[in-house]
C-alpha cells in the first residue's frame, strides 16, 4: 500500500514568512511523529500525536512551531516567522502502535525547507 | 527521558570486513530497539529491530545483539559491501511512553571497495 507522503518536497521561503508542511500517514496508523534533520545531523524529535490523546510537544524548539492533526490522519506542521536556522529537512513518520505497542515507525521522504 | 548514546560517529571499513556499531540506553524499562539506515538524500528505513525478550536477531548479513543487564545493543554487519555505506541510527523506546523512539546521533559508515 501507499507509504507516508509529505508535501511539498522542497520549500524555499524568505525569512519572516510562515510555512506549512503536510504529512499524510499510512492509512490506519494511529501515531504520527515529526522530526527535524539539519544537514549531516541526527533526527531531532519535534512532536508526537497518538490517537485522541494530547500531543507530546516536548520537542518543539520555540513557540513559532506548532502542529495539528485533523481527523486522526493528516498532519500539518506550521512554522511562523521563519528564521534561517529553521532550514532543515522535516521528516514525518507514522506507526500503528498495535498490540505490541512498539511498532515500527515508517518515514516519509521529507520536506527540505530553505529559509533565505 | 531516555538517553541513547551511539558510537562511533564515523566508521570506515574495507569491503568484505565486518562493521560493529554500539548503542547504550538509560531506561531499564525500554523493550524495543530498532536500527534505521539512511542513505544520502533518502528517508530512514528500518533494517532490523529487536525486542527485549530475545538477546540476538539475525537477518542475512545483519545482526543485532542486546544486553539488557548492561543496557546496550549493537548492530553487526558482516561481509560489508559498498552499498552498505550510509548513516545508521539506533533507537530505543521508553517504558512509560507509548510509541515514541529516542534516537542515537547516527554513525556514518563508509565501505571502501
Amino acid at each position: 500500500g501507499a507509504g507516508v507522503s509529505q508535501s511539498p518536497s522542497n520549500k524555499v521561503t524568505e525569512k519572516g514568512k510562515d510555512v506549512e508542511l503536510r504529512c499524510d500517514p499510512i492509512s490506519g496508523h494511529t501515531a504520527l511523529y515529526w522530526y527535524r534533520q539539519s544537514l549531516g545531523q541526527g533526527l531531532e524529535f519535534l512532536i508526537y500525536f497518538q490517537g485522541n490523546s494530547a500531543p507530546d510537544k516536548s520537542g518543539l524548539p520555540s513557540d513559532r512551531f506548532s502542529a495539528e492533526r485533523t481527523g486522526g490522519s493528516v498532519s500539518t506542521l506550521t512554522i511562523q516567522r521563519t528564521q534561517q536556522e529553521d532550514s532543515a529537512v522535516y521528516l514525518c513518520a507514522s506507526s500503528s502502535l498495535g498490540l505490541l505497542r512498539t511498532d515500527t515507525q515508517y518515514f516519509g521522504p521529507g520536506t527540505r525547507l530553505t529559509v533565505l | 527521558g531516555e538517553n541513547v548514546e551511539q558510537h562511533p560517529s564515523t566508521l570506515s571499513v574495507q569491503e568484505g570486513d565486518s562493521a560493529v556499531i554500539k548503542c547504550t540506553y538509560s531506561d531499564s524499562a525500554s523493550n524495543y530497539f530498532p536500527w534505521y539506515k539512511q542513505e544520502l538524500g533518502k528517508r530512514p528505513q528500518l533494517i532490523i529491530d529487536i525486542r527485549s525478550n530475545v538477546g540476538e536477531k539475525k537477518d542475512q548479513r545483519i545482526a543485532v545483539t542486546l544486553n539488557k543487564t548492561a543496557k546496550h545493543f549493537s548492530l553487526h554487519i558482516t561481509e560489508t559491501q559498498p552499498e552498505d555505506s550510509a548513516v545508521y541510527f539506533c533507537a530505543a523506546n521508553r517504558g512509560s511512553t507509548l510509541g515514541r523512539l529516542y534516537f542515537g546521533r547516527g554513525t556514518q559508515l563508509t565501505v571502501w571497495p
Side-chain angles (χ1 to χ4, degrees):
Chain A
V4 179
S5 60
Q6 292 186 244
S7 60
S9 56
N10 280 283
K11 177 71 177 179
V12 180
T13 190
E14 294 179 347
K15 177 181 173 181
K17 301 279 190 182
D18 298 351
V19 294
E20 286 189 351
L21 312 180
R22 177 187 168 104
C23 172
D24 281 273
I26 293 172
S27 178
H29 278 193
T30 58
L32 186 148
Y33 315 80
W34 283 98
Y35 297 90
R36 178 168 71 174
Q37 189 171 37
S38 300
L39 188 62
Q41 300 300 307
L43 299 165
E44 177 187 4
F45 168 78
L46 297 178
I47 189 168
Y48 158 44
F49 295 89
Q50 165 51 20
N52 295 320
S53 302
D56 176 354
K57 304 179 182 180
S58 60
L60 294 178
S62 77
D63 58 9
R64 296 187 295 105
F65 288 72
S66 63
E68 62 177 21
R69 188 178 185 193
T70 53
S73 180
V74 172
S75 177
T76 302
L77 177 69
T78 301
I79 309 174
Q80 295 179 310
R81 305 181 301 282
T82 51
Q83 304 294 313
Q84 288 182 330
E85 59 263 30
D86 298 335
S87 296
V89 174
Y90 289 81
L91 290 161
C92 174
S94 71
S95 66
S96 64
L97 284 189
L99 291 176
L100 290 174
R101 313 300 277 169
T102 50
D103 286 348
T104 302
Q105 288 189 21
Y106 296 89
F107 284 84
T111 293
R112 181 175 299 278
L113 174 66
T114 303
V115 182
L116 300 177
Chain B
E2 173 75 281
N3 184 32
V4 179
E5 301 275 350
Q6 183 172 348
H7 299 280
S9 56
T10 60
L11 180 60
S12 292
V13 299
Q14 203 73 31
E15 182 177 2
D17 287 350
S18 295
V20 181
I21 303 170
K22 300 181 179 181
C23 289
T24 61
Y25 61 97
S26 59
D27 186 354
S28 57
S30 297
N31 58 16
Y32 177 60
F33 309 91
W35 286 87
Y36 285 82
K37 175 183 180 182
Q38 187 177 29
E39 297 178 46
L40 189 63
K42 302 284 185 64
R43 73 189 78 184
Q45 292 199 302
L46 179 79
I47 55 171
I48 196 167
D49 58 13
I50 191 168
R51 301 185 189 274
S52 60
N53 57 342
V54 297
E56 182 176 4
K57 184 176 178 180
K58 292 185 70 173
D59 183 2
Q60 299 182 354
R61 297 186 296 109
I62 295 173
V64 57
T65 58
L66 171 65
N67 183 327
K68 288 190 66 180
T69 303
K71 289 190 281 189
H72 67 70
F73 56 112
S74 301
L75 178 71
H76 304 254
I77 306 174
T78 58
E79 300 171 27
T80 54
Q81 301 167 3
E83 51 265 40
D84 294 329
S85 296
V87 177
Y88 291 81
F89 293 98
C90 65
N93 70 337
R94 189 179 171 199
S96 61
T97 308
L98 290 175
R100 181 177 165 181
L101 294 175
Y102 297 78
F103 285 87
R105 289 180 172 270
T107 296
Q108 172 68 63
L109 172 65
T110 303
V111 180
W112 300 101

